[in-house]
Amino acid sequence: MAVPASWDDYWRLTPEAAAHRGGAPQDELLRRFWSDVFAAARVEGRRRVLDVACGNGAVFESASEAGGDRGSVGFQLCGLDSSPAALHGLALRCPWVHAVGGDAARMPFADRSFDLVTSQFGLEYAGPEAVDEAARILASNGRVVAVAHMKDGGLFRENVANREAMGVVVDSALLPRLKDLYQAHVAMFRGTGSRPAFRRAEAALAEACGEVGRALARLGPAVAGGSVARLQQDVVYMGRRIDSHDPAEVARWAGLCAREAESYLGRMDSMLAASIDESGVERLTKRAESRGLILRSRDRLVMGALAEAAAWALVFE
């Protein structure tokens, strides 16, 4: 599945799926980081703000906190994202923000339109052209603040494990095999199938469950936010209580979960590919300098229980 589609799936499902809601260990650190950024912008009179790859508005909520109230609090806030589902979520979560659909590498804004350009895990996805565009739309004496994925950092390694675990779910055909089991069961009782065929489907599902179980034993039940462990538990439960579920509903559920698993892999692949190391930061800095920006600070953000660096915090002016 194409990466843009996988991210649109993510934002479309965010209001519904507990695993997609806020509350991750890094959220509080990022909230404090952006609150400080917007508090400084407020004092310095930086009012026109663009958040690149804004998602459904996590950064903008920190802008509100900087003013002590919800709403734009004196800022002119604009969010750019390529995902229609993300922008729909932004309109619901932060209706005071002007939402714009577009590509960070070709931003639909005039030169010098913004005093502050922000990005939380977004600018690095769009490539060096996004740096060019950020410089173009930045007003004189403006500022660019970006939080970017750090290659080999804590979140990176977590995402490697997440990708591996969900990859086992997909490669084992766990969800298609559940559908096959229910179809074999229906066929057996309709007289169009056989008990041996049902037993083969049962054995295939057990094999897939075993593969996923071994991955969880190796990577831990909390991998991928616990979604792989919950998925395996649900599949095992439905496989054992086959007489208690509607085959059509099981097929629909398994199909939806299979699509979500593929989308998850797409997101993990894009995150890992977008992550940057020291040399990546140097290349990004040189690109920014060639467009008239100067790197003012480069910090490593420490996140999670292990207290290890997980992201870059870059400030250009």
Side-chain angles (χ1 to χ4, degrees), residues 181-182 235-246 250:
L181 177 68
Y182 271 74
V235 168
V236 169
Y237 178 80
M238 285 185 278
R240 290 175 177 171
R241 297 177 61 86
I242 197 166
D243 291 320
S244 303
H245 296 89
D246 180 353
V250 169

Side-chain angles (χ1 to χ4, degrees), residues 10 18-32 120-121 155 158-159 162 225 303-305:
Y10 171 81
H20 295 159
R21 293 174 186 157
Q26 66 268 20
D27 289 350
E28 177 59 22
L29 181 145
L30 291 170
R31 185 194 65 77
R32 293 197 306 270
Q120 177 175 296
F121 302 132
L155 288 179
E158 180 181 311
N159 287 337
N162 294 343
M303 303 178 182

Side-chain angles (χ1 to χ4, degrees), residues 88-289:
H88 176 71
L90 175 64
L92 295 176
R93 186 179 188 182
C94 304
W96 55 87
V97 175
H98 179 52
V100 177
D103 186 346
R106 293 179 294 277
M107 298 188 198
F109 306 111
D111 295 356
R112 303 180 183 277
S113 296
F114 298 97
D115 305 306
L116 175 64
V117 175
T118 62
S119 175
Q120 177 175 296
F121 302 132
L123 201 66
E124 65 270 34
Y125 286 83
E129 294 79 10
V131 178
D132 300 345
E133 285 291 271
R136 178 184 66 80
I137 65 172
L138 194 66
S140 299
N141 300 316
R143 179 177 296 157
V144 177
V145 183
V147 173
H149 288 289
M150 177 184 291
K151 189 172 184 179
D152 296 324
L155 288 179
F156 182 91
R157 292 196 300 277
E158 180 181 311
N159 287 337
V160 168
N162 294 343
R163 204 271 177 223
E164 180 181 351
M166 197 63 74
V168 173
V169 170
V170 173
D171 293 342
S172 69
L174 177 71
L175 294 156
R177 287 182 176 182
L178 178 66
K179 291 171 64 176
D180 291 345
L181 177 68
Y182 271 74
Q183 290 171 357
H185 186 259
V186 170
M188 181 175 65
F189 281 95
R190 287 179 176 173
T192 57
S194 65
R195 182 163 293 277
F198 173 75
R199 293 302 182 197
R200 287 193 295 271
E202 201 172 40
L205 179 61
E207 179 183 357
C209 286
E211 291 182 42
V212 175
R214 287 188 290 275
L216 289 171
R218 183 174 67 256
L219 300 170
V223 71
S227 59
V228 171
R230 290 193 298 272
L231 190 61
Q232 187 208 36
Q233 291 168 2
D234 289 343
V235 168
V236 169
Y237 178 80
M238 285 185 278
R240 290 175 177 171
R241 297 177 61 86
I242 197 166
D243 291 320
S244 303
H245 296 89
D246 180 353
E249 283 300 308
V250 169
R252 187 196 67 80
W253 176 85
L256 176 61
C257 289
R259 176 180 172 180
E260 291 181 21
E262 291 283 0
S263 293
Y264 190 93
L265 291 184
R267 296 194 300 276
M268 291 299 104
D269 286 340
S270 67
M271 286 178 182
L272 297 175
S275 299
I276 55 178
D277 55 13
E278 289 272 5
S279 62
V281 173
E282 292 298 328
R283 288 192 297 273
L284 188 151
T285 299
K286 289 180 180 178
R287 185 84 177 208
E289 289 175 346

